[in-house]
């Protein structure tokens, strides 16, 4: 494996010297609140994701991919390669009337690619600041943006509803660059897919492409219509026993179809062979509670909003034509902050120094151990903190019990027989494309690369719930479901990890304990849109200087 990597690097250097080097395209696909147990390459027989699976089976699925447990923090970390707590972006996600964003002093992922000559496009969710225009995607490295700026939208009407102290307010949150997209119609997953397809189709291949497709799916929509999918797609999921889970399954099906359409268009454009594809979830699923979408992280413990593995250990894979002969699952530790240096290395660029991310490209492509051994989940807004160090996780503070149990098993019910998995793979767009390219896939043997978490969640006396005076220590390698508290058995490990965590907390940019929703952001004041309502303040500030 290492010799292949050396040959690859040598070839890049040679092409660069000859002036014939074309940097690889990068397509980065993000699912929103997709559960660990909601992809079939993790073993699900209920929700089938054949297009995503084909990328995993012919690329490199990531067994230990970690993110932050909430959307705004995870996306901030992705874009900056810094842990969210050092940016002031940790904790409860941005609301639509909140004046907060990734600091303008930070250089973002698309800006690095833009400096390398890439065409840069964002389709879908942003959610790292929109109160002022200078916080928006097209002011921070993306050439274009079509999508929503905040946490989620209605799948058909593109509205976002918030409950304020004086009642509910709502407005349109779908934009083409800086213009409200009043003129579009359709199911938003299909809208985003069509936009991404058109970007690929119209891309001028004289420049490399960086495309981030950040889906709304399968995040819940507004109160009153939390789960939304086309009726015919819901009907096709009649094997799913739970009625809510059935709609969710259709939402995931649309997401998987989207992946297939992207692969098809890359092939039609004749750039698939020179494209790196990443597919991830931003955080764990949310089975119950706020913005519940009936996702399942089972058997992992915990949900979105919690530092347990159900909240932070998420779906991830990387695909490149150069990796299709490898057929291994990478078992190394990777965190969302690592994508920026890893992808920059993959396209032959230098890596910035003042970041938390680690370049793991060589480790992944050579199937070697990871250089990462520590990560943090620090949430001073809700009052908890966690550290992963080598094989152990330590959690301190107060984590809501409602987000800290093993949920999702009750959603696994199937009426009759599960749909035939091998048939779903054969019918998938991605399988057909790979077959035409001579990428050999043994359908009867693919599930040997399935990532499974095996543990008996009933095999414990009492779960440890961290509190101000209770620390919970787990060996997440041997006990991935976090059932056995080891803090009393290994006080030396607790002391070491607690010291590291306290040192890291000192780096945090503190968050206020309350969220201020600016009444001037009310959509009714802005033609019923959620917009950058503080631009006038910025303009006055500039004029006064």
């Amino acid at each position: 494996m290492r010799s292949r990597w050396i040959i690859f690097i040598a070839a890049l250097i040679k092409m660069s010297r000859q002036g014939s080097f074309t940097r690889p395209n990068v397509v980065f696909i993000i699912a929103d609140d997709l559960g660990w147990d909601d992809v079939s390459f993790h073993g699900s027989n209920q929700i089938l994701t054949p297009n995503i699976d084909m990328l995993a089976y012919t690329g490199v699925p990531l067994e230990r991919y970690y993110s932050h447990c909430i959307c705004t923090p995870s996306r901030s970390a992705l874009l900056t390669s810094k842990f969210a707590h050092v940016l002031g972006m940790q904790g409860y996600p941005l609301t639509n009337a909140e004046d907060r964003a990734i600091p303008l002093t930070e250089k973002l992922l698309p800006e690095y690619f833009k400096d390398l000559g890439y065409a840069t496009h964002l389709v879908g969710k942003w959610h790292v600041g929109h109160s002022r225009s200078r916080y928006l995607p097209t002011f921070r490295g993306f050439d274009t943006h079509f999508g929503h700026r905040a946490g989620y939208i209605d799948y058909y009407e593109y509205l976002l509803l918030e409950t304020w102290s004086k009642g509910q307010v709502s407005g349109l949150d779908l934009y083409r660059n800086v213009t409200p997209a009043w003129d579009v119609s359709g199911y938003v997953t299909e809208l985003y897919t069509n936009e991404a397809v058109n970007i690929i189709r119209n891309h001028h291949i004289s420049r490399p492409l960086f495309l981030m497709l950040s889906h709304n799916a399968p995040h819940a929509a507004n109160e009153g219509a939390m789960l939304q999918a086309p009726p015919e797609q819901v009907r096709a999921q009649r094997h799913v026993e739970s009625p809510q889970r059935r709609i969710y399954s259709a939402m995931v099906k649309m997401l998987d179809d989207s992946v297939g359409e992207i692969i098809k268009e890359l092939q039609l454009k004749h750039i698939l062979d020179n494209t790196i594809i990443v597919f991830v979830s931003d955080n764990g699923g949310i089975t119950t509670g706020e913005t519940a979408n009936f996702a399942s992280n089972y058997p992992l413990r915990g949900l979105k909003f919690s530092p347990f593995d159900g909240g932070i250990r998420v779906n991830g894979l990387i695909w490149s034509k150069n990796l299709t002969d490898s057929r291994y699952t990478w078992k190394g530790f990777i965190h969302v902050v690592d994508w920026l240096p890893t992808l920059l290395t993959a396209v032959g660029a230098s890596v910035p120094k003042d970041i938390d991310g680690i370049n793991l490209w060589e480790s992944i492509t050579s199937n070697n151990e990871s250089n990462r051994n520590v990560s943090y989940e620090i949430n001073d807004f809700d009052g908890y903190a966690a550290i992963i160090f080598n094989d152990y996780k330590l959690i301190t503070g107060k984590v809501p019990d409602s987000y800290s149990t093993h949920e999702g098993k009750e959603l696994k019910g199937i009426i009759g027989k599960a749909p035939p998995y091998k048939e779903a793979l054969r019918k998938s767009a991605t399988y057909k494309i790979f077959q035409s390219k001579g990428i050999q896939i043994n359908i009867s043997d693919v599930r040997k690369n399935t990532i499974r978490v095996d543990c008996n969640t009933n095999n414990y006396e009492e779960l440890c719930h961290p509190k101000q005076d209770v620390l919970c220590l787990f060996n997440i390698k041997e006990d991935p479901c976090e059932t056995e508290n080891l803090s009393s058995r290994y006080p030396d490990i607790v002391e070491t990890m607690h010291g590291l965590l306290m040192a890291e907390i000192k780096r945090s940019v503190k968050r206020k304990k309350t969220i201020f929703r600016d009444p001037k952001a009310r959509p009714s004041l802005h033609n019923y849109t959620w917009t950058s309502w503080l631009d006038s303040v910025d303009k006055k500030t500039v004029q006064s200087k």
Side-chain angles (χ1 to χ4, degrees):
M1 291 293 183
R2 183 163 293 279
S3 61
R4 186 182 67 178
W5 170 244
I6 293 172
I7 293 171
F8 178 64
I9 288 294
L12 291 180
I13 294 172
K14 182 179 179 181
M15 286 189 293
S16 178
R17 289 173 177 171
Q18 292 174 344
S20 60
F21 175 51
T22 300
R23 297 187 191 274
N25 307 293
V26 177
V27 175
F28 201 105
I29 305 172
I30 308 174
D32 200 340
D33 290 7
L34 180 67
W36 171 267
D37 193 34
D38 297 336
V39 291
S40 36
F41 80 88
H42 281 178
S44 175
N45 292 313
Q46 184 194 56
I47 296 181
L48 302 188
T49 52
N51 291 293
I52 297 169
D53 293 2
M54 292 310 305
L55 291 178
Y57 295 146
T58 61
V60 179
L62 305 172
E63 185 168 309
R64 297 192 65 219
Y65 173 52
Y66 282 83
S67 186
H68 287 310
C69 69
I70 305 171
C71 38
T72 294
S74 69
R75 291 163 197 273
S76 299
L78 167 65
L79 291 167
T80 63
S81 193
K82 293 183 179 181
F83 293 116
H85 58 268
V86 305
L87 303 166
M89 298 298 283
Q90 70 275 18
Y92 194 82
L94 273 168
T95 65
N96 273 27
E98 186 179 357
D99 182 26
R100 185 164 59 97
I102 295 177
L104 293 172
T105 52
E106 300 297 330
K107 186 173 182 177
L108 304 191
L109 180 61
E111 295 178 288
Y112 285 100
F113 277 97
K114 198 174 182 68
D115 287 348
L116 296 171
Y118 278 74
T120 58
H121 303 276
L122 171 63
V123 178
K125 179 173 174 174
W126 178 238
H127 207 196
V128 290
H130 74 272
S131 58
R132 305 163 193 264
S133 290
R134 53 199 173 119
Y135 295 157
L136 297 175
T138 51
F139 291 81
R140 307 210 66 177
F142 285 107
D143 295 329
T144 67
H145 174 226
F146 175 68
H148 57 293
R149 298 170 173 179
Y152 56 90
I153 51 176
D154 182 276
Y155 282 73
Y156 289 99
E157 298 301 326
Y158 329 126
L159 302 174
L160 190 149
L161 173 74
E162 283 193 348
T163 301
W164 291 7
S165 59
K166 295 184 179 181
Q168 292 184 329
V169 296
S170 68
L172 180 79
D173 188 22
L174 183 65
Y175 280 81
R176 186 172 297 281
N177 299 324
V178 295
T179 304
W182 289 104
D183 58 325
V184 301
S185 62
Y187 188 68
V188 75
T189 304
E190 292 181 309
L191 286 180
Y192 287 169
T193 302
N194 293 338
E195 180 73 13
V197 164
N198 286 331
I199 287 171
I200 296 168
R201 183 175 299 157
N202 297 319
H203 174 68
H204 199 291
I205 60 173
S206 62
R207 299 176 66 190
L209 170 68
F210 176 72
L211 170 62
M212 181 172 286
L213 174 55
S214 182
H215 272 294
N216 192 53
H219 197 292
N222 295 305
E223 181 183 338
M226 302 285 280
L227 303 176
Q228 300 178 353
E232 66 276 11
Q233 294 292 345
V234 178
R235 191 76 174 150
Q237 306 300 314
R238 282 174 290 175
H239 63 280
V240 179
E241 180 182 6
S242 163
Q244 298 95 336
R245 179 81 167 166
R246 186 177 297 183
I247 303 173
Y248 175 81
S249 180
M251 295 162 71
V252 176
K253 170 66 164 54
M254 298 294 287
L255 173 69
D256 184 72
D257 287 349
S258 172
V259 172
E261 290 299 311
I262 298 302
I263 303 302
K264 184 191 299 183
E265 196 60 35
L266 289 169
Q267 173 65 6
L268 290 173
K269 189 71 174 181
H270 305 294
I271 61 174
L272 180 60
D273 288 357
N274 191 38
T275 299
I276 297 167
I277 301 169
V278 176
F279 176 86
V280 299
S281 180
D282 61 343
N283 44 251
I286 180 77
T287 313
T288 57
E290 186 178 1
T291 66
N293 64 354
F294 292 82
S296 173
N297 306 310
Y298 192 81
L300 297 179
R301 179 181 176 184
L303 310 177
K304 173 184 178 179
F305 295 113
S306 88
F308 293 98
D309 265 23
I312 61 175
R313 183 178 175 183
V314 295
N315 305 292
L317 65 86
I318 187 166
W319 186 94
S320 165
K321 183 63 165 59
N322 295 322
L323 297 173
T324 56
D325 292 331
S326 305
R327 310 295 169 87
Y328 57 82
T329 294
W330 194 60
K331 299 181 181 299
F333 184 8
I334 175 172
H335 192 271
V336 64
V337 295
D338 298 324
W339 283 119
L340 188 151
T342 298
L343 291 175
L344 287 179
T345 301
V347 303
S350 59
V351 173
K353 294 181 179 180
D354 185 25
I355 56 175
D356 294 317
I358 298 171
N359 166 31
L360 297 174
W361 181 248
E362 297 92 337
S363 298
I364 294 171
T365 56
S366 301
N367 197 18
N368 287 329
E369 292 185 4
S370 175
N371 293 324
R372 174 165 294 286
N373 70 341
V374 64
S375 71
Y376 306 94
E377 189 68 19
I378 296 173
N379 182 347
D380 55 351
F381 183 86
D382 292 308
Y384 62 77
I387 176 176
I388 295 175
F389 183 62
N390 295 327
D391 295 349
Y392 292 90
K393 182 195 291 183
L394 181 72
I395 306 177
T396 73
K398 173 61 177 172
V399 182
D401 290 351
S402 57
Y403 294 133
S404 303
T405 56
H406 300 89
E407 295 191 43
K409 186 177 182 179
E410 69 284 356
L411 297 176
K412 296 171 74 69
I414 294 176
I415 299 173
K417 293 182 179 180
Y421 182 53
K422 295 176 184 178
E423 180 181 341
L425 288 176
R426 289 192 181 94
K427 288 183 176 179
S428 69
T430 304
Y431 175 78
K432 295 173 183 177
I433 291 166
F434 287 173
Q435 285 289 92
S436 70
K437 295 179 67 63
I439 299 175
Q440 298 301 313
I441 307 157
N442 184 352
I443 290 292
S444 63
D445 199 34
V446 290
R447 276 204 153 166
K448 74 177 183 180
N449 285 335
T450 297
I451 298 174
R452 294 182 184 272
V453 174
D454 295 316
C455 48
N456 183 359
T457 58
N458 296 318
N459 186 27
Y460 55 84
E461 294 182 359
E462 185 178 354
L463 289 176
C464 178
H465 291 273
K467 300 178 179 62
Q468 294 301 334
D469 57 344
V470 176
L471 305 180
C472 299
L473 177 70
F474 307 101
N475 184 323
I476 54 174
K477 275 288 193 68
E478 296 180 1
D479 177 26
C481 296
E482 299 167 289
T483 60
E484 184 179 7
N485 178 26
L486 304 174
S487 58
S488 60
R489 190 183 308 177
Y490 301 118
D492 53 336
I493 295 178
V494 171
E495 182 178 1
T496 297
M497 293 180 67
H498 191 260
L500 291 171
L501 182 58
M502 292 302 104
E504 182 65 22
I505 288 175
K506 291 180 180 179
R507 297 179 62 211
S508 297
V509 174
K510 302 297 183 184
R511 274 200 62 185
K512 295 180 179 179
K513 291 292 185 180
T514 58
I515 296 172
F516 173 66
R517 289 183 167 89
D518 191 339
K520 293 188 291 294
R522 182 182 290 273
S524 60
L525 301 176
H526 309 281
N527 195 28
Y528 294 93
T529 63
W530 292 104
T531 190
S532 301
W533 73 95
L534 290 176
D535 283 349
S536 58
V537 175
D538 285 350
K539 185 177 181 179
K540 289 179 181 177
T541 301
V542 171
Q543 291 175 344
S544 65
K545 289 183 178 180

